[in-house]
């Protein structure tokens, strides 16, 4: 099944300070509060206009800098369905998986789409589909990493494993 | 098909697979899982998972080192909670207050061996590459998962090679090499990569010095850092180890995404300026800058040879500013006592504290006043790192730290070495 997603497109080296400002890290915890400040210092329009199902499309080294998990959870709380980047900082990529938000490495996409464009994602086929028909592969994750994503993150996955239920 | 990097070989082993490639995501079962004073916080996450017990308690190592002896009752409570947890779970490799800094203690106890994998809830877990192990830092939730299941997923990193040639001049150390490399690579230049050392300059470094490189180079964003183990490492491990190991070496035709080369022969002492570890200049450019406190210690440069180097500088002289010496471990402290190194330092006016991290993270035992400059032998000088935002921190070798303590300002140790 192909799902349709609206893109927010950004450049290289976007750091976690502009994804979620450090000054809020110890005071804000509720998901809607986190969402209200997502990308505040990079693109003030984002928090106003983001809709559930939107995706981020970015250049190299998305999420560099601090290891704060809120830089992932704020976007997740804002309804972001996936982050597609030419590359991710190491800890950001891990945080995405562990918080249950799909990270997709795709070196070309940020040069081919613009903010507001729609793309299709076919998770079962492992493909991103552009409106002009071009197709890009979604690199497969190992089954165990996929299982973490499917469970909604590392903690829920462990909870299922040890507390039963799924 | 090209050969494999160290990281590819080490993670294939840790994942129980015949071969893996950079970019693959694999489930590894590390040989050692490390945490420290943060173990109480990890225990609380662990409790949420619903796991009944730690899966492999024999692979778990816990040290109390970051705030020891406990500076406040809250810290003491934190330690007490960890001790109880250690007992409940039957964790044998537990090192209480005063034994030393986690990375140093692991090396002394030979708990991690060449070719093995260690994941730690500490960003300087890269340290263990000094003996050819794969060491990487992870988050607290991930460490709780490691306790619960023994496994964690890792992406196999691309590798960059650093070739060191030549011989260091007197008064110049592995710390200067590491700082020079940070200057070149930058704070994110090795992001996500396995940094793999090569070159004939390595075998000339003592084991104490080798550990500086993978420790300090965590500041380049690297996932892990590797030094090829040689006979000196094997000889060191032989009387200490309790299991067999197979050292791993990259294939000669392995693929590297970057290649650095440094001839260390003409390298002058280096120094990192406030507030970035990669903001490094030649020491000669900042001589005479005032310092109020000189700190010799940390997992980067708190080993016996570091204390010995400082003693060589201060012997028969008196310090002009506070010289704080915190041995990286009890073993280092004992060796410094037995050899007279400690006496030399004390006679010159140094202050000695309990083995551990000391003020490295700003917890206690040497927090600077606002505007007071510290010259430290540690690895991080971010704003506020030592507990006070407006207190500049310089990073340099033990020689430079000792010489600056004598001068009361940043000074060149080579003037004191005859
Ligand atoms: S000495 Fe400093 S860098 Fe090393 S483990 Fe302790 S706090 Fe971390």
């Amino acid at each position: 099944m192909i799902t349709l997603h609206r893109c927010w497109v950004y450049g290289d080296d976007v750091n976690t300070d502009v994804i979620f400002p450090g000054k809020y890290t110890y005071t804000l915890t509720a998901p809607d509060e986190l969402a209200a400040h997502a990308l505040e210092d990079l693109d003030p329009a984002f928090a106003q206009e983001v809709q559930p199902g939107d995706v981020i499309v970015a250049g190299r080294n998305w999420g560099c800098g601090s290891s704060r998990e809120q830089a992932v959870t704020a976007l997740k709380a804002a309804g972001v369905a996936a982050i597609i980047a030419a590359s991710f900082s190491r800890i950001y990529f891990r945080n995405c998986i562990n918080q249950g938000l799909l990270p997709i490495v795709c070196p070309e996409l940020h040069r081919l789409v613009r903010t507001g464009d729609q793309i299709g994602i076919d998770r079962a086929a492992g493909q991103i589909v552009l409106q002009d028909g071009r197709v890009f592969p979604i690199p497969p994750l190992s089954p165990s990493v996929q299982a973490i994503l499917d469970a909604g993150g590392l903690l829920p996955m462990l909870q299922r494993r040890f507390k039963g239920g799924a | 098909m090209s050969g494999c990097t160290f990281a590819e070989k080490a993670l294939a082993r840790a994942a129980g697979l015949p071969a893996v490639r950079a970019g693959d995501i694999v489930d590894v079962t590390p040989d050692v899982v490390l945490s420290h004073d943060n173990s109480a916080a990890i225990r609380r996450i662990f409790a949420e998972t619903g796991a009944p017990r730690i899966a492999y308690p024999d692979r778990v190592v816990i040290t109390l080192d970051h705030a020891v002896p406990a500076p406040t009752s809250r810290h003491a409570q934190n330690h007490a909670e960890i001790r109880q947890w250690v007992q409940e779970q039957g964790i044998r490799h537990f090192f209480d207050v005063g034994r030393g800094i986690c990375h140093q203690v692991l090396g002394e106890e030979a708990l991690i061996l060449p070719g093995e994998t260690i994941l730690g809830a500490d960003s300087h877990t890269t340290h263990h590459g000094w003996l050819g192990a794969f060491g990487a830092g992870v988050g607290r939730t991930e460490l709780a998962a490691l306790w619960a299941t023994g496994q964690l997923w890792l992406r196999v990193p691309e590798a960059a090679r650093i070739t060191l040639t030549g011989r260091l001049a007197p008064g110049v150390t592995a710390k200067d090499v590491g700082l020079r490399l940070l200057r070149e690579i930058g704070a994110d230049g090795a992001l996500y990569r396995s940094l793999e050392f090569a070159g004939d300059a390595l075998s000339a470094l003592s084991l104490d010095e080798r550990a500086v490189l993978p420790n300090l180079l965590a500041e380049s964003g690297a996932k892990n850092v590797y030094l090829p183990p040689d006979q000196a490492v094997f000889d060191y491990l032989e009387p200490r180890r309790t299991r067999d190991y197979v050292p791993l070496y990259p294939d000669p035709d392995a693929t590297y995404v970057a290649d650095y080369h440094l001839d260390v022969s003409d390298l002058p002492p280096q120094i990192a300026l406030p507030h970035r570890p990669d903001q490094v200049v030649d020491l000669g450019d900042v001589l005479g800058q005032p310092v109020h406190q000189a700190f010799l210690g940390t997992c980067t440069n708190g080993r016996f040879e570091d204390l010995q180097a400082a003693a060589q500088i201060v012997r028969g002289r008196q310090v002009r500013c506070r010289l704080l010496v915190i041995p990286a471990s009890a073993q280092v402290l004992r060796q410094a006592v037995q050899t007279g190194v400690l006496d030399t330092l004390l006679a010159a006016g140094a202050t000695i504290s309990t083995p551990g991290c000391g003020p490295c993270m700003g917890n206690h035992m040497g927090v600077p006043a606002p505007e007071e400059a510290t010259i430290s032998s540690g690895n991080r000088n971010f704003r506020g790192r030592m507990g006070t935002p407006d207190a500049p921190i310089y990073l340099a070798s033990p020689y430079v730290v000792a010489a600056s303590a004598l001068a009361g300002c940043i000074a060149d140790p080579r003037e004191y070495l005859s």
Side-chain angles (χ1 to χ4, degrees):
Chain A
M1 191 187 74
I2 297 186
T3 51
L4 294 179
H5 304 272
R6 195 175 59 149
C7 298
W8 294 84
V9 182
Y10 302 107
D12 293 338
D13 297 312
V14 173
N15 72 69
T16 51
D17 273 314
V18 300
I19 299 174
F20 188 78
K23 62 188 170 202
Y24 302 130
T25 50
Y26 296 109
T27 49
L28 302 185
T29 51
D32 56 332
E33 287 181 317
L34 299 185
H37 295 283
L39 293 178
E40 182 169 282
D41 292 335
L42 179 69
D43 180 1
F46 178 83
Q48 305 298 320
E49 295 168 23
V50 63
Q51 288 165 14
D54 286 0
V55 296
I56 305 271
V57 178
R60 285 176 31 241
N61 201 20
W62 173 266
C64 56
S66 144
S67 63
R68 71 186 64 126
E69 289 184 337
Q70 295 97 323
V72 173
T73 51
L75 295 178
K76 199 182 170 197
V80 168
I83 302 176
I84 304 163
S87 65
F88 289 84
S89 91
R90 165 174 182 249
I91 295 177
Y92 196 94
F93 187 86
R94 299 191 70 81
N95 283 343
C96 277
I97 302 286
N98 293 335
Q99 300 300 324
L101 178 60
L102 177 67
I104 301 174
V105 177
C106 180
E108 301 93 349
L109 200 66
H110 68 292
R111 287 192 225 102
L112 304 177
V113 297
R114 287 204 252 164
T115 293
D117 287 358
Q118 273 210 332
I119 59 167
I121 295 181
D122 187 340
R123 285 215 197 189
Q127 288 178 337
I128 298 169
V129 186
L130 302 198
Q131 275 172 329
D132 63 11
R134 275 185 290 180
V135 169
F136 296 92
I138 299 176
L141 298 168
S142 82
S144 62
V145 173
Q146 189 64 49
I148 299 173
L149 266 179
D150 294 345
L154 188 56
L155 191 56
M157 191 208 63
L158 291 170
Q159 284 169 338
R160 272 190 215 181
R161 172 161 166 183
F162 291 108
K163 293 182 177 167
Chain B
M1 193 147 170
S2 62
C4 288
T5 64
F6 164 74
E8 288 169 332
K9 290 190 179 183
L11 293 185
R13 176 192 166 278
L17 295 170
V20 303
R21 282 297 185 182
D24 290 354
I25 287 175
V26 295
D27 292 316
V28 301
T29 306
D31 302 278
V32 178
V33 173
L34 169 69
S35 58
H36 42 66
D37 297 39
N38 54 17
S39 304
I42 296 164
R43 189 196 69 78
R44 291 190 281 270
I45 302 171
F46 180 87
E48 273 188 70
T49 67
R53 299 189 61 77
I54 290 183
Y56 302 105
D58 283 352
R59 295 181 179 219
V60 170
V61 177
I62 294 178
T63 53
L64 297 184
D65 54 4
H66 274 56
V68 296
T72 68
S73 129
R74 231 197 71 232
H75 286 91
Q77 250 173 346
N78 184 60
H79 291 166
E81 190 179 335
I82 295 167
R83 286 189 196 99
Q84 196 192 335
W85 175 244
V86 159
Q87 250 195 340
E88 265 170 43
Q89 297 292 317
I91 296 166
R92 281 190 303 137
H93 303 305
F94 170 66
F95 301 97
D96 211 325
V97 170
R99 175 63 185 87
I101 305 169
C102 53
H103 305 304
Q104 177 65 17
V105 173
L106 269 155
E108 290 174 357
E109 302 277 341
L111 289 174
I112 179 78
L113 299 168
E116 295 187 343
T117 292
I118 171 170
L119 298 180
D122 186 279
S123 57
H124 292 103
T125 307
T126 53
H127 178 99
H128 305 280
W130 75 270
L131 51 53
F134 184 98
V138 297
R140 291 177 183 185
T141 309
E142 295 178 307
L143 206 97
L146 280 164
W147 281 356
T149 67
Q151 285 197 340
L152 193 67
W153 65 277
L154 288 181
R155 181 180 174 280
V156 182
E158 284 81 23
R161 181 168 50 192
I162 302 177
T163 307
L164 298 181
T165 54
R167 289 288 173 275
L168 288 166
V172 185
T173 67
K175 181 60 162 288
D176 302 292
V177 174
L179 288 170
R180 185 70 187 75
L181 290 169
L182 283 179
R183 177 175 174 175
E184 183 130 331
I185 297 171
D188 63 353
L191 197 69
Y192 212 87
R193 291 177 180 168
S194 169
L195 282 182
E196 307 193 357
F197 276 92
D200 61 13
L202 288 174
S203 56
L205 296 177
S206 70
L207 299 188
D208 274 8
E209 283 211 274
R210 291 184 201 184
V212 176
L213 294 171
N215 180 291
L216 184 60
L217 283 162
E219 307 311 318
S220 69
K223 178 173 198 157
N224 70 290
V225 184
Y226 163 82
L227 273 64
D230 62 7
Q231 195 60 42
V233 170
F234 308 145
D235 290 346
Y236 168 83
L237 291 173
E238 205 42 42
R240 296 173 172 83
R241 70 187 175 89
T242 55
R243 56 180 185 265
D244 293 335
Y245 62 90
V246 180
L248 297 174
Y249 299 92
D251 291 327
D253 60 342
T255 304
Y256 293 98
V257 292
D259 238 315
Y260 301 94
H261 178 251
L262 181 67
D263 185 337
V264 302
S265 306
D266 301 323
L267 184 73
Q270 304 286 299
I271 187 166
L273 308 181
H275 301 277
R276 290 181 64 123
D278 63 338
Q279 200 184 335
V280 173
V281 299
D282 290 353
L283 179 70
D285 294 349
V286 289
L287 292 176
Q289 293 286 324
V291 295
H292 305 89
Q293 168 170 277
F295 169 36
L296 178 64
T298 80
C299 55
T300 317
N301 276 120
R303 278 174 283 283
F304 175 69
E305 284 181 16
D306 302 321
L307 271 54
Q308 198 178 33
Q312 209 185 330
I313 301 284
V314 303
R315 180 182 308 281
R317 301 184 167 100
Q318 284 297 310
V319 296
R320 282 219 206 126
C321 74
R322 308 190 294 276
L323 171 57
L324 184 59
V325 178
I326 304 191
S329 74
Q331 207 162 300
V332 169
L333 176 56
R334 286 192 70 190
Q335 202 178 350
V337 170
Q338 286 159 0
T339 53
V341 160
L342 197 74
D343 192 52
T344 304
L345 293 169
L346 284 168
T351 299
I352 313 294
S353 290
T354 309
C357 300
C360 177
M361 258 187 72
N363 281 317
H364 62 156
M365 295 204 299
V367 174
E371 312 300 335
E372 276 190 339
T374 298
I375 186 160
S376 163
S377 66
N379 51 27
R380 272 194 187 144
N381 60 347
F382 296 143
R383 187 184 293 279
R385 168 76 179 180
M386 290 179 72
T388 312
D390 297 318
I393 305 166
Y394 297 88
L395 304 177
S397 76
Y399 279 127
V400 176
V401 168
S404 304
L406 289 179
C409 61
I410 292 172
D412 193 326
R414 292 171 299 185
E415 289 167 21
Y416 299 93
L417 289 170
S418 41

